[in-house]
Amino acid sequence: MYEGRTDFPQGGVFGHENLGQVIEIGNAVDRVKVGDWVAIPFNIGCGFCRNCERGLSAFCLTTPDRSLFPNMAGAAYGFADMGPYRGGQADLLRVPYGDYNCLKLPPDAEERQNDYVMLADIFPTGWHCTELAGLCPGESVVIYGAGPVGLMAAHAAMIKGACMVMVVDRHPDRLRLAESIGALTVDDSKGSPVDQVMELTNGIGADRGCECVGYQAHDPQGDEQPNMVMNDLVKSVKFTGGIGVVGVYVPQDPAPQDPLYKQGEIVFDHGLFWFKGQSIGTGQCNVKAYNRQLRDLISTGRAKPSFIVSHQLPLDDAPNAYRHFDARDDGWTKVVLKTAA
């Protein structure tokens, strides 16, 4: 959205990883009280539609703007085509269906904001990716991408008891963070990541694979290749293994680097995928399905997702922070913006 690769409107408000203190409630809100510290899922659910009742809050049937997108399922704060909801990088945020969407936080919420804010998106999304892949205790997993979501997938895999967690990236600061939680790092700028994964797994491949990059994947030479990670995963994961995909892919790309991807299409190695009997799970994370349990992992000290935070800045510094993060400048791994409120 920041790079103009979606149709996010000019003048819109970004911010879908939201945490704050409740200062006002509407007449329909019963459970949430003024003064509560809450984390807000990035996807906005109603709690009562067919999908929300099944735990699929990312695909709510009530909250999308059906006047613009008649067949849409799912809504989110400050997200292209998932409006009309403004984002949370502002002093105030309105939360629809407050009782359902607000996750109340423990008494230590104010001093541990940098941990609990990860419940809004990336910690549940990383966890979701391992669930989509089918990861079980004692299995190996390869995670492509050591951005915030990939690092959260690695953190989740460690908590879930994976016997080996491999993280593929090429940025030294991100690889260092992966190593800090016990993951094995694979630097794809130093050779084929597939070959390195196969060597680490005695030629078998990982039991599970996680796609945490998306269609803007670049090769080490800097060329964008939307199909690169998906095809590398098929080669890196064993026969009958599972792949989870949470990296963003979109139906249309207004500024495609690859002509095929203008319509959201990639050249996918389906023959090898079929031959190996693999399975793929994909889609946005249903944050409500995980955030309560993950909150308790943070509260008890079993999880500390704030290890990725590199900067805490006032909201006024957001433009500069976006520039540094988008350029993958060394040391800019995750920015938390603090509002005046």
Side-chain angles (χ1 to χ4, degrees), residues 73-301:
Y77 300 99
F79 215 91
D81 297 337
M82 299 187 75
Y85 305 97
R86 294 162 71 85
Q89 288 174 7
D91 288 318
L92 298 171
L93 175 70
R94 177 182 174 270
V95 179
Y97 302 103
D99 276 333
Y100 181 70
N101 287 300
C102 290
L103 176 69
K104 294 177 68 172
L105 299 174
D108 62 352
E110 186 169 5
E111 56 264 34
R112 298 185 62 188
Q113 293 178 50
N114 288 358
D115 283 312
Y116 289 119
V117 71
M118 305 303 171
L119 293 168
D121 180 356
I122 58 169
F123 191 20
T125 294
W127 193 279
H128 181 58
C129 197
T130 66
E131 290 284 307
L132 291 172
L135 179 66
C136 295
E139 291 186 326
S140 61
V141 60
V142 58
I143 297 163
Y144 276 78
V149 170
L151 290 169
M152 289 297 98
H155 195 29
M158 299 296 291
I159 293 169
K160 294 171 78 168
C163 68
M164 182 190 301
V165 179
M166 297 162 280
V167 178
V168 180
D169 206 293
R170 68 187 67 110
H171 297 283
D173 53 345
R174 297 179 172 195
L175 293 174
R176 284 194 298 270
L177 284 174
E179 289 176 340
S180 75
I181 59 169
L184 300 175
T185 56
V186 174
D187 186 340
D188 72 343
S189 70
K190 297 181 178 178
S192 163
V194 175
D195 291 345
Q196 294 182 66
V197 170
M198 296 303 284
E199 183 176 354
L200 288 167
T201 57
N202 298 316
I204 298 172
D207 294 303
R208 310 290 169 180
C210 291
E211 206 287 21
C212 300
V213 179
Y215 74 95
Q216 287 182 271
H218 288 69
D219 63 22
Q221 290 71 46
D223 296 321
E224 185 171 301
Q225 297 187 24
N227 64 339
M228 180 180 75
V229 176
M230 287 300 300
N231 287 335
D232 281 351
L233 272 166
V234 170
K235 297 170 187 172
S236 301
V237 171
K238 72 175 187 179
F239 281 72
T240 73
I243 297 170
V245 182
V246 295
V248 172
Y249 292 82
V250 294
Q252 296 90 29
D253 182 358
Q257 306 293 303
D258 177 278
L260 190 62
Y261 202 72
K262 184 175 184 180
Q263 299 302 323
E265 299 175 359
I266 62 173
V267 177
F268 177 60
D269 197 348
H270 192 273
L272 183 60
F273 167 71
W274 183 91
F275 187 71
K276 294 181 77 171
Q278 295 169 338
S279 58
I280 291 180
T282 188
Q284 288 194 359
C285 173
N286 305 295
V287 173
K288 287 284 294 183
Y290 307 108
N291 64 356
R292 190 179 301 270
Q293 303 96 301
L294 300 187
R295 175 199 63 189
D296 294 344
L297 284 173
I298 293 172
S299 178
T300 58

Side-chain angles (χ1 to χ4, degrees), residues 60-83:
C60 178
L61 300 172
T62 304
T63 53
D65 187 346
R66 294 300 182 92
S67 64
L68 294 177
F69 304 100
N71 299 313
M72 186 67 179
Y77 300 99
F79 215 91
D81 297 337
M82 299 187 75

